[in-house]
Amino acid sequence: MVIKVFLATSSGSTAIKKKQQDVVGFLEANGIDHEQLDIACNEDNRMWMRENVPGEKKPTNGIPLPPQIFNDQSYCGDYETFFDAKEQNQVFAFLGLAPPPGSKEAQLAEKAHILQNGNVPLEEHKSTDLNHEEEEIADKDEDEQPATEGETDLHVSEDEEEEELNIEDDEEALEDEEEPITEDEDETEEDS
């Protein structure tokens, strides 16, 4: 299957040129087999593109602007739908192609397939079991960690509580014993 990208090589719009470059650049960078069809120089390409873009995808004036993307005879979308698919790591699905093995899109497609069928491959069962064991170990480690600054230790023994109360009582007693010297007392001491 060949991806067809309908372009206008002599477009006066910089926005259209950037969109076309973005689509073609992505296809080339990912080694996706594609064909660039110019609608500015070839009337047949222009007419074919206009006829094959679905009515609901055409703008209000009825003339779709490039770039328009097809997979052989099947319409994929315009730049906006391509961009959305690219942002969601779903360009291969957008183009109607199988994603390369190991890509983010392949991993997402596999997860979606698992969720649809409810089947979990044997490998995933093993990794899930390992993940649960790792979480349990991490939880145990967190429980054994001493409280850090800003955290409170909820496991305070009764002896420690009593000791803290005794310290507070001692501090209050010291404050009571040390009465501040007033100005009158200060003058009498100087007179003597």
Side-chain angles (χ1 to χ4, degrees):
M1 290 188 222
V2 175
I3 302 300
K4 295 179 182 178
V5 182
F6 287 86
L7 311 166
T9 54
S10 61
S11 174
S13 168
T14 55
I16 289 176
K17 287 179 184 177
K18 286 180 181 180
K19 291 174 181 179
Q20 293 174 160
Q21 288 173 346
D22 189 24
V23 171
V24 172
F26 180 86
L27 297 173
E28 288 174 352
N30 287 286
I32 298 172
D33 198 19
H34 67 283
E35 182 179 356
Q36 297 178 36
L37 302 167
D38 188 9
I39 63 168
C41 298
N42 187 323
E43 187 65 30
D44 292 336
N45 288 343
R46 182 189 341 230
M47 294 307 295
W48 191 92
M49 181 193 80
R50 286 183 180 175
E51 290 171 4
N52 290 288
V53 171
E56 67 273 3
K57 299 292 183 174
K58 290 182 181 179
T60 54
N61 68 2
I63 301 171
L65 297 174
Q68 296 292 328
I69 307 161
F70 290 81
N71 184 335
D72 283 331
Q73 306 295 318
S74 176
Y75 181 70
C76 297
D78 59 4
Y79 177 76
E80 282 72 26
T81 52
F82 166 80
F83 181 80
D84 291 342
K86 188 171 138 183
E87 288 293 307
Q88 298 170 3
N89 290 322
Q90 297 180 344
V91 176
F92 289 91
F94 164 78
L95 296 172
L97 302 173
S103 69
K104 285 184 182 178
E105 191 169 344
Q107 293 169 357
L108 290 173
E110 186 177 316
K111 285 181 183 178
H113 179 72
I114 290 168
L115 291 176
Q116 272 183 337
N117 295 333
N119 299 341
V120 179
L122 180 60
E123 293 174 7
E124 200 159 310
H125 275 299
K126 289 178 184 175
S127 68
T128 303
D129 292 342
L130 289 175
N131 287 340
H132 287 298
E133 288 175 16
E134 289 172 0
E135 288 173 6
E136 288 175 8
I137 292 170
D139 288 343
K140 287 179 184 176
D141 287 347
E142 287 176 7
D143 291 343
E144 294 171 6
Q145 296 287 331
T148 58
E149 186 177 333
E151 293 182 349
T152 57
D153 190 1
L154 300 177
H155 303 290
V156 178
S157 70
E158 290 179 23
D159 293 337
E160 290 173 326
E161 279 185 39
E162 194 173 309
E163 187 176 324
E164 286 179 27
L165 291 174
N166 289 339
I167 292 172
E168 289 174 7
D169 290 342
D170 290 344
E171 288 174 353
E172 287 177 15
L174 284 174
E175 288 175 8
D176 291 342
E177 287 178 10
E178 296 176 8
E179 294 180 13
I181 300 175
T182 61
E183 286 183 29
D184 293 337
E185 291 176 353
D186 193 30
E187 288 176 10
T188 55
E189 286 179 15
E190 288 177 7
D191 291 341
S192 347

